[in-house]
Amino acid sequence: MSRFRILTLFSLGVFGLLIAYLYNLRTAMSSIVRTDDVAKLGAIVVGSGLAGLSAASQLISHNIPVRLLERAAKPGGNSIKASSGINGAPTKYQPVVDDAFYADTIKSAGKAMAALTAHREGLISNLTNSSSGAISWLVDNKGIDLSKVAQLGGHTFPRTHRGAGQTPPGFSIISTLLKSLKESPLFHLQTSCTVTKVLQTDQRVTGVEYACEDGEKQELHGPVIFAAGGFGGDAEGLLAQYRPDLAGYPSTNDPRPGTQPLLTALGAQLVDMDLVQVHPSGFVDPANSASPLKFLAAEVLRGEGGLLLINGKRFINELETRENVTNAIVATAPTSELPKQWTVQLVLDEGAYGAAKSHVDFYIFKGLMKKATIADLGEGALESIQQYASAAAGTQADTFHRTSFAHWALKDPAPDSVIYTGIVTPVVHFTMGGVLISNKAEVLKEDGEKIEGLWGAGEVTGGVHGGNRLGGSSLLECVVFGRTAGDQCAEYIKGGST
Ligand SMILES: Cc1cc2nc3c(=O)[nH]c(=O)nc-3n(C[C@H](O)[C@H](O)[C@H](O)COP(=O)(O)OP(=O)(O)OC[C@H]3O[C@@H](n4cnc5c(N)ncnc54)[C@H](O)[C@@H]3O)c2cc1C
């Protein structure tokens, strides 16, 4: 063997030993970090929607440093798009004695309550009982305007809060929380960084693996709050797996993969993955009617007095739950197969328009709604609107048993009466299923035990809404369970459990 070959083999051997040494050193280091330094490193929050920001705010209030990793280039997730508002009762803006929120939520959850009954009742009780405190935290502690209250579908009383000005509730809540977090030296946000794995050692979550724009895998160590949202935008992945029948439906959610598999890899229990909310009203944009991504026609438009027509006829109490309104629409023939769409007219009079002015003006600006007359709606509409107006005026009972007409004011509809209208269709909107959590926001395993060092909040979790989420209850769940996750994680770190 030549001297050159011997030298080459020797160098390769040394290089191999060096690699093995570095690998062992890294493993040893990560275990040292896990046991000794986590408290100094603080907590990791995955996802910058309302659940993640609520958790981060709470951690910071306990003086715990937060590293927040966000997949998208801009923070805010689906939360920033929320347009109807957040539920709470009782609150200073909701004067009605409202003891029905819990019962409304149970009723809306429907048949799903038959499984894990006591556990779900506990989560719902926590959600509804904490709603008053959640609104007061946002209003009194964070200074967010939520002074307007509307009644959405499935709610016995008005309890969905939004601001009185032009800014939609999702945007004002997210931008305010982010601004206040960014003022803290303890808060560190990294956008365009996707968490690819949750790390675990000795049955305890110790951090995450993630990759940013350069694609290089990195690790971050600390206990983890997982708030990565739902899988409504994962059309080819989890949605296709659990609800193949929804193939072709448009969605209000930007395309992105679901993240529950990162948690089932640790043994997390999944619930209700097949329970997907199809919202009855996504706008069909006349300029791009085949787009699979739709703008939501906020439920508050119906809540403030709007009605729905198919072929000029009303077909349901518009304040029924989203599930029931959607079922009534999809029981009729679709007007397009790809995307799967129906043609439903949403109609507001001047009174309802006045109450939802900021929404409608925005939709008119986007070309999704227009000011028109009843005659423009086509055959049958006048008669249907006359009946609706009589029910709103109290001169006859409503055919569909609607009892709240909010700000509808038109008493004598005529062909030239002014209305505001747009075409809507059912859209994949929200995923009720996800990882099961406890009332302490701990992510639970199949055997019901918690996964040490891991909490979950927001749409990535399941079990809180059962078969149908009430409008306004998702933002609420983000605040309630996000804040709980923050408190619990802070306690875990301070207690030295890390
Ligand atoms: C158009 C629209 C209107 C709505 N209106 C209302 C309303 O009025 N009231 C209401 O209660 N609910 C409403 N909802 C539902 C509600 O907004 C959402 O369900 C809720 O905000 C979810 O919050 P979240 O924090 O769990 O998730 P999101 O707000 O979706 O945030 C999750 C974040 O995690 C990030 N992420 C995902 N995967 C990873 C990863 N692997 N690594 C790092 N980051 C990741 C995402 O990019 C995202 O930013 C609406 C939803 C939509 C789409």
Side-chain angles (χ1 to χ4, degrees):
M1 199 182 292
S2 73
R3 271 181 61 197
F4 176 73
R5 271 191 85 180
I6 292 170
L7 208 63
T8 308
L9 283 173
F10 179 74
S11 309
L12 282 173
V14 170
F15 184 66
L17 282 172
L18 188 66
I19 293 288
Y21 172 75
L22 286 176
Y23 178 80
N24 286 335
L25 184 68
R26 186 163 157 267
T27 312
M29 281 298 287
S30 63
S31 113
I32 291 166
V33 168
R34 174 179 62 80
T35 49
D36 299 336
D37 291 342
V38 169
K40 279 182 241 148
L41 294 171
I44 300 164
V45 177
V46 184
S48 67
L50 183 53
L53 296 187
S54 300
S57 303
Q58 212 58 22
L59 284 157
I60 300 281
S61 78
H62 294 288
N63 283 319
I64 303 290
V66 175
R67 298 285 301 266
L68 197 154
L69 296 171
E70 166 55 52
R71 174 182 198 278
K74 284 191 182 157
N78 277 327
S79 305
I80 206 164
K81 300 188 197 172
S83 45
S84 285
I86 173 166
N87 295 333
T91 72
K92 59 179 165 187
Y93 305 116
Q94 206 275 52
V96 186
V97 178
D98 178 0
D99 51 6
F101 191 13
Y102 173 81
D104 285 351
T105 308
I106 297 272
K107 186 175 170 205
S108 180
K111 283 186 278 188
M113 291 303 297
L116 290 167
T117 309
H119 190 87
R120 289 177 198 271
E121 284 172 349
L123 292 174
I124 293 172
S125 172
N126 187 6
L127 179 83
T128 53
N129 288 333
S130 306
S131 67
S132 175
I135 299 287
S136 134
W137 182 67
L138 293 170
V139 173
D140 302 325
N141 193 312
K142 301 294 170 191
I144 298 166
D145 173 20
L146 292 173
S147 57
K148 249 187 150 180
V149 182
Q151 181 170 356
L152 303 189
H155 290 274
T156 304
F157 296 109
R159 52 172 87 101
T160 308
H161 295 60
R162 66 183 198 277
Q166 298 284 322
T167 318
F171 187 84
S172 62
I173 295 172
I174 291 295
S175 54
T176 308
L177 291 186
L178 255 181
K179 184 167 176 284
S180 120
L181 282 166
K182 283 179 178 170
E183 282 163 7
S184 168
L186 295 175
F187 182 67
H188 184 78
L189 168 68
Q190 276 177 273
T191 52
S192 303
C193 292
T194 303
V195 169
T196 46
K197 191 176 178 185
V198 180
L199 305 172
Q200 196 179 32
T201 313
D202 300 334
Q203 301 296 310
R204 174 181 292 218
V205 167
T206 53
V208 294
E209 176 191 85
Y210 68 103
C212 300
E213 276 163 309
D214 60 8
E216 194 189 326
K217 290 264 162 87
Q218 303 178 60
E219 287 185 5
L220 200 55
H221 295 271
V224 175
I225 297 178
F226 211 88
F231 60 91
D234 192 6
E236 308 290 323
L238 292 181
L239 196 61
Q241 181 184 342
Y242 288 98
R243 287 298 301 271
D245 58 306
L246 294 178
Y249 271 71
S251 176
T252 51
N253 299 14
D254 289 315
R256 72 171 186 232
T259 53
Q260 282 84 0
L262 301 186
L263 303 181
T264 50
L266 311 175
Q269 181 180 166
L270 292 180
V271 285
D272 301 342
M273 290 295 278
D274 59 335
L275 301 180
V276 173
Q277 183 163 80
V278 181
H279 194 294
S281 60
F283 277 117
V284 177
D285 182 350
N288 187 9
S289 62
S291 170
L293 187 62
K294 304 286 190 219
F295 228 92
L296 187 73
E299 191 171 331
V300 76
L301 301 183
R302 283 174 282 138
E304 295 292 16
L307 60 93
L308 299 174
L309 301 173
I310 296 180
N311 295 326
K313 300 240 175 311
R314 278 181 72 220
F315 52 95
I316 193 162
N317 169 359
E318 294 81 359
L319 294 187
E320 271 286 351
T321 60
R322 292 173 178 181
E323 185 181 24
N324 290 346
V325 179
T326 295
N327 286 345
I329 296 170
V330 304
T332 68
T335 41
S336 150
E337 279 300 336
L338 202 63
K340 194 140 190 155
Q341 275 175 200
W342 285 257
T343 302
V344 184
Q345 288 169 315
L346 170 68
V347 184
L348 279 72
D349 75 334
E350 293 275 21
Y353 162 70
K357 189 173 182 319
S358 57
H359 284 78
V360 179
D361 285 349
F362 177 69
Y363 299 141
I364 291 175
F365 166 74
K366 298 287 281 179
L368 302 168
M369 285 188 86
K370 61 181 182 190
K371 187 175 180 180
T373 64
I374 292 181
D376 298 324
L377 295 173
E379 223 173 290
L382 178 61
E383 196 186 331
S384 302
I385 294 174
Q386 280 167 338
Q387 284 169 3
Y388 181 83
S390 302
T395 52
Q396 74 176 55
D398 182 48
T399 325
F400 298 99
H401 310 292
R402 181 164 171 165
T403 52
S404 164
F405 300 87
H407 294 90
W408 182 274
L410 184 59
K411 290 204 166 57
D412 298 308
D416 61 351
S417 301
V418 169
I419 46 93
Y420 298 80
T421 187
I423 302 296
V424 295
T425 187
V427 272
V428 168
H429 180 58
F430 181 86
T431 47
M432 269 80 68
V435 295
L436 188 65
I437 53 167
S438 71
N439 255 332
K440 290 180 172 177
E442 299 148 331
V443 177
L444 302 178
K445 293 187 278 192
E446 289 289 345
D447 61 7
E449 288 296 310
K450 67 179 178 189
I451 299 176
E452 196 76 23
L454 178 69
W455 295 265
E459 201 176 335
V460 74
T461 69
V464 185
H465 309 288
N468 179 72
R469 169 178 72 83
L470 287 174
S473 278
S474 174
L475 294 185
L476 174 62
E477 116 180 81
C478 290
V479 173
V480 169
F481 291 100
R483 291 187 70 210
T484 301
D487 284 339
Q488 293 297 317
C489 182
E491 198 176 298
Y492 179 84
I493 290 173
K494 285 188 169 170
S497 303
T498 50

